[in-house]
Amino acid sequence: MSREDAFQIIATVKSAQSLHSLQGEPNSAFRINASHMTVDSAVAFCEEYQTICPEVPLYLDLQGAKIRLQKAQRVFDVKEDEAVTIAAYEDADCPESHRFLVEQYVLDLCRTTRASQVLIDDGKILIRLDDVCASGPLRGTIEKGGRVFPRKGFNLHPHPIDLDRLTPRDEAFVEATRRFPFVRYALSFASSPNEMKHLRSVARPDGTSIVLAAKLERGLPPAEIFALARASDELWLCRGDLGSQLGLPGLARFYAPFAAALAQGRFPCRVILAGEVCDHVACAGRPTRSEVCHIGRAVVDGYVGCVLSNETVQPERPEWANAAIRLVREVTDAMKGGETDALNAAWAQAK
């Protein structure tokens, strides 16, 4: 099977050290999250990447319209029914214990949308907002506990931000890294074709080609999804934030017709699966049967690849990152082999 025909595996890394540990695996590309970096550190990473594996594409994942906790967020654990505050940097009198740090505009969004709950880190933490009318920090109660980390996603539903161009921060990242020929870009919470067109014009002012991925992380209407796909080279179905936006039953309702449309060949760009593709490998060292079957079904439905995130960035043991990559490769290669063709033919002929 040629490299072009193989199922793409996009492995997320967070440093050159993790890049070295995964380099020997059958990856199609790597991904790094610019939301956790400065422009200077992104450039430094690309310069080091150039000395290690410049022949392998690197996706720089841009923040776009996604809302995140601040970099200065303190790490702590929260439990169900505990009281917490959501505050901006300026609220110095707010105690650090059980404080979620956001920018001021996020507090304003919570108030203008009269939000009733917040989901942190793809829904791993759920906060019920008790009062969004008062000025100053917001008060809330933990309904689902967990560990809080800096720069994790902060989800309001429906998502209150729509963009038609890059943010100044993302534009600075693109302008600084577009000189590296292996760099591609993925845009978080993309919703507008104009947003992707602006990204393309900044990434390639001379009009030359570059691969751009729109990350589908909110429940857009089908017509808007197809419009976004037409402006992109790839569409990533990102089930983490999408699940936070829609809820788990809503995610299932969304996923079924989306996969059906993909299987019918209706998408004008490549479609890639993301979000807990084989998460059990990262925490237990082995996949569930459900994960194996789902990966196989993804090939049948027409997904051309997947993004591995926590599987390669935060496994319980370093070797389990490699195990996740090998699992995806073994299953997807098997789905395109001669034995699969023969089995499909046998089913087609059977009565």
Side-chain angles (χ1 to χ4, degrees):
M1 184 183 301
S2 68
R3 179 169 180 151
E4 290 74 20
D5 293 333
F7 191 83
Q8 297 180 52
I9 302 174
I10 303 171
T12 303
V13 296
K14 59 182 179 180
S15 65
Q17 182 179 0
S18 58
L19 183 65
H20 279 293
S21 66
L22 297 174
Q23 189 188 359
E25 298 302 326
N27 300 295
S28 307
F30 289 106
R31 164 186 171 262
I32 193 162
N33 198 333
S35 298
H36 303 298
M37 311 176 84
T38 64
V39 171
D40 288 344
S41 65
V43 170
F45 179 85
C46 288
E47 289 173 343
E48 188 166 7
Y49 189 97
Q50 193 163 232
T51 67
I52 300 170
C53 52
E55 73 285 355
V56 181
L58 171 69
Y59 288 87
L60 191 64
D61 198 323
L62 304 172
Q63 181 168 339
K66 183 166 183 172
I67 304 172
R68 290 183 176 274
L69 296 173
Q70 288 285 358
K71 186 176 181 179
Q73 173 67 55
R74 179 172 172 263
V75 177
F76 59 83
D77 295 310
V78 288
K79 298 179 181 179
E80 187 176 344
D81 294 328
E82 288 184 334
V84 295
T85 58
I86 301 174
Y89 278 132
E90 303 89 81
D91 300 305
D93 57 337
C94 183
E96 285 192 3
S97 177
H98 291 43
R99 180 181 68 185
F100 290 80
L101 270 178
V102 297
E103 295 183 20
Q104 181 61 47
Y105 82 90
V106 179
L107 299 182
D108 297 337
L109 286 172
C110 291
R111 293 190 176 97
T112 57
T113 60
R114 300 191 65 83
S116 61
Q117 66 177 23
V118 172
L119 291 100
I120 306 293
D121 194 6
D122 291 345
K124 293 181 176 67
I125 296 172
L126 174 60
I127 306 172
R128 183 186 72 246
L129 295 180
D130 299 323
D131 183 6
V132 296
C133 296
S135 61
L138 302 180
R139 309 293 174 181
T141 303
I142 296 295
E143 293 193 341
K144 181 182 177 183
R147 176 159 291 185
V148 184
F149 293 98
R151 300 297 293 161
K152 289 300 182 180
F154 183 102
N155 262 288
L156 300 172
H157 175 69
H159 190 72
I161 303 175
D162 293 304
L163 302 175
D164 60 5
R165 60 186 293 112
L166 294 181
T167 64
R169 183 181 190 274
D170 284 344
E171 192 165 352
F173 272 94
V174 176
E175 289 175 344
T177 57
R178 65 191 177 192
R179 63 186 171 90
F180 297 99
F182 48 81
V183 168
R184 302 174 174 182
Y185 298 99
L187 186 61
S188 291
F189 272 86
S191 62
S192 164
N194 289 336
E195 201 177 359
M196 298 306 296
K197 291 175 183 176
H198 184 230
L199 171 56
R200 194 176 299 277
S201 70
V202 176
R204 288 294 183 270
D206 58 0
T208 55
S209 64
I210 184 172
V211 174
L212 302 181
K215 298 177 66 179
L216 184 57
E217 297 179 291
R218 60 177 107 182
L220 299 175
E224 294 183 21
I225 294 174
F226 283 126
L228 188 62
R230 285 191 291 271
S232 310
D233 302 288
E234 296 175 353
L235 186 68
W236 291 7
L237 182 68
C238 299
R239 297 172 299 179
D241 281 301
L242 192 59
S244 294
Q245 285 290 306
L246 301 179
L248 296 183
L251 176 62
R253 283 194 303 269
F254 181 95
Y255 185 85
F258 181 96
L262 178 59
Q264 294 163 6
R266 296 179 58 196
F267 281 89
C269 69
R270 298 185 297 275
V271 181
I272 289 176
L273 189 63
E276 297 183 343
V277 174
C278 48
D279 203 54
H280 197 258
V281 179
C283 61
R286 59 182 178 83
T288 63
R289 269 57 171 177
S290 178
E291 286 174 334
V292 170
C293 293
H294 188 55
I295 293 167
R297 183 69 209 187
V299 177
V300 175
D301 284 341
Y303 291 96
V304 300
C306 70
V307 180
L308 301 180
S309 298
N310 286 344
E311 296 96 332
T312 53
V313 171
Q314 293 179 320
E316 292 290 331
R317 297 181 184 177
E319 63 268 24
W320 289 352
N322 298 322
I325 296 169
R326 286 194 294 269
L327 167 73
V328 175
R329 179 60 68 215
E330 289 170 3
V331 172
T332 56
D333 283 355
M335 293 300 296
K336 295 184 177 182
E339 292 183 20
T340 299
D341 294 338
L343 186 58
N344 289 339
W347 274 101
Q349 295 169 7
K351 297 181 180 179

